[in-house]
Amino acid sequence: MAGNFKGLDLKLLQYRNYADPEQRVVTARNLVAGKISNQLSTLRYLNRNSGSLLQDQERYNMVTASLERTLAQVGKMTDYQKVLGAEGYASREYFSVLGSYFTGELKFSTRKHHPSPDPVNCLLSLGYTMLTNILTGFIISRGLEAGLGTLHAAQAGRESLALDLVEQFRAPVIDRLIIKNCNLRKFSAEMFCDDGATGGVRFKKNMISSFFEIWDSNLHKEYTHNPLNTDEHPVRNLVELLLYQVDEYASALRSGRPYRSYVFDYR
């Protein structure tokens, strides 16, 4: 009986690297470093474009300095659990100041999910899920094992590799998109309702289309200054950027070199 053996070499390399403690640390370190670097760049972008909106500049300075130190430390870590700890610490620091950039009706205080306790957390979770779904499709199309990641443990029904790769895009893609459109009043509290099944909040059924209109526009918005947008590696929009990074992961596996995370250039 014929079978689908596409990407068999990639799957074997994934399993080999997953079983190798040293290689697993290297991959985790590169993924976390990419995430923290983009969190830093996102905060700098927001701070540069906020004018006098940021109330607590001292807090911003403390957080960015803390992220810089953590980023430098991650590059030297040889313990897998410490790498995961650094990722968690950096995210808490990052989200502790992110709410300063919400100037519209909807506010943000802390990151919570499962369930989302407020509209902003609902929007963030929805955006992260949309990115993860697209990455999962690209991962499968390239023959990679979607359920085998590095930062996220292998678990039935979990797209662990997509969850790994989405980390580098959370801050520069989704967080910026949600902040921008909340501040433009494209989203409002009346668009959400209590979710009796989870105890959190969700979009009203007749309102969620507003999110998808914004999402689709952002997904296909043409990049004009993307550093990857060259004749050799055309990256003209977010869809192509996501596919590029999946291909980068496959290329890194086949060549045995470290994975290169997407770098958000905020300047």
Side-chain angles (χ1 to χ4, degrees):
M1 183 173 66
N4 180 11
F5 300 107
K6 181 178 181 180
L8 181 59
D9 64 322
L10 289 172
K11 291 181 174 69
L12 289 173
L13 289 169
Q14 282 182 269
Y15 284 112
R16 183 198 68 184
N17 289 356
Y18 187 84
D20 183 338
E22 291 186 7
Q23 185 59 48
R24 195 175 185 194
V25 169
V26 170
T27 303
R29 199 165 58 203
N30 292 335
L31 289 167
V32 171
K35 178 178 181 177
I36 297 175
S37 176
N38 286 342
Q39 287 174 330
L40 258 171
S41 294
T42 298
L43 289 180
R44 287 169 176 157
Y45 169 88
L46 293 170
N47 200 56
R48 185 192 68 182
N49 291 280
S50 66
S52 60
L53 296 177
L54 185 60
Q55 299 294 319
D56 193 350
Q57 190 68 40
E58 182 178 357
R59 178 61 185 163
Y60 165 83
N61 292 335
M62 291 175 59
V63 167
T64 52
S66 177
L67 290 178
E68 287 173 348
R69 288 193 299 271
T70 305
L71 180 59
Q73 292 165 358
V74 166
K76 303 173 185 177
M77 289 179 177
T78 58
D79 183 278
Y80 177 75
Q81 292 302 325
K82 287 184 178 180
V83 174
L84 295 185
E87 186 271 334
Y89 171 78
S91 290
R92 288 190 295 273
E93 286 287 277
Y94 167 77
F95 281 119
S96 74
V97 75
L98 195 67
S100 300
Y101 300 103
F102 284 84
T103 61
E105 172 194 356
L106 298 181
K107 304 297 182 183
F108 176 81
S109 58
T110 188
R111 175 67 180 139
K112 292 183 179 179
H113 53 96
H114 305 311
S116 298
D118 54 69
V120 171
N121 272 292
C122 178
L123 287 163
L124 292 174
S125 292
L126 183 55
Y128 299 154
T129 298
M130 296 297 292
L131 274 189
T132 303
N133 289 343
I134 294 174
L135 284 167
T136 298
F138 286 152
I139 286 167
I140 294 172
S141 74
R142 289 310 197 238
L144 288 155
E145 175 56 69
L148 193 64
T150 301
L151 300 177
H152 296 82
Q155 180 177 313
R158 172 188 279 178
E159 301 90 351
S160 296
L161 180 55
L163 292 171
D164 280 2
L165 296 183
V166 81
E167 297 291 357
Q168 66 200 301
F169 298 111
R170 287 175 181 262
V173 174
I174 299 303
D175 298 356
R176 287 199 306 138
L177 179 69
I178 299 308
I179 290 171
K180 173 184 176 181
N181 285 282
C182 282
N183 291 350
L184 290 173
R185 278 65 173 179
K186 295 292 183 66
F187 300 118
S188 62
E190 67 180 12
M191 300 169 73
F192 298 83
C193 63
D194 292 335
D195 186 346
T198 65
V201 302
R202 61 173 175 80
F203 262 109
K204 294 178 180 177
K205 289 183 179 180
N206 62 333
M207 292 291 181
I208 197 169
S209 60
S210 60
F211 172 87
F212 289 115
E213 288 174 5
I214 292 170
W215 171 256
D216 188 65
S217 175
N218 186 66
L219 199 62
H220 299 286
K221 180 181 178 181
E222 184 178 359
Y223 289 164
T224 57
H225 301 293
N226 192 292
L228 301 176
N229 194 7
T230 65
D231 291 336
E232 183 180 359
H233 298 295
V235 176
R236 293 160 293 200
N237 53 44
L238 178 55
V239 173
E240 292 185 357
L241 177 58
L242 297 174
L243 180 57
Y244 181 94
Q245 289 303 135
V246 171
D247 286 341
E248 159 61 23
Y249 189 87
S251 176
L253 276 174
R254 286 185 168 125
S255 65
R257 61 170 174 77
Y259 170 73
R260 293 189 290 253
S261 291
Y262 162 64
V263 176
F264 171 50
D265 185 357
Y266 67 96
R267 291 165 292 183

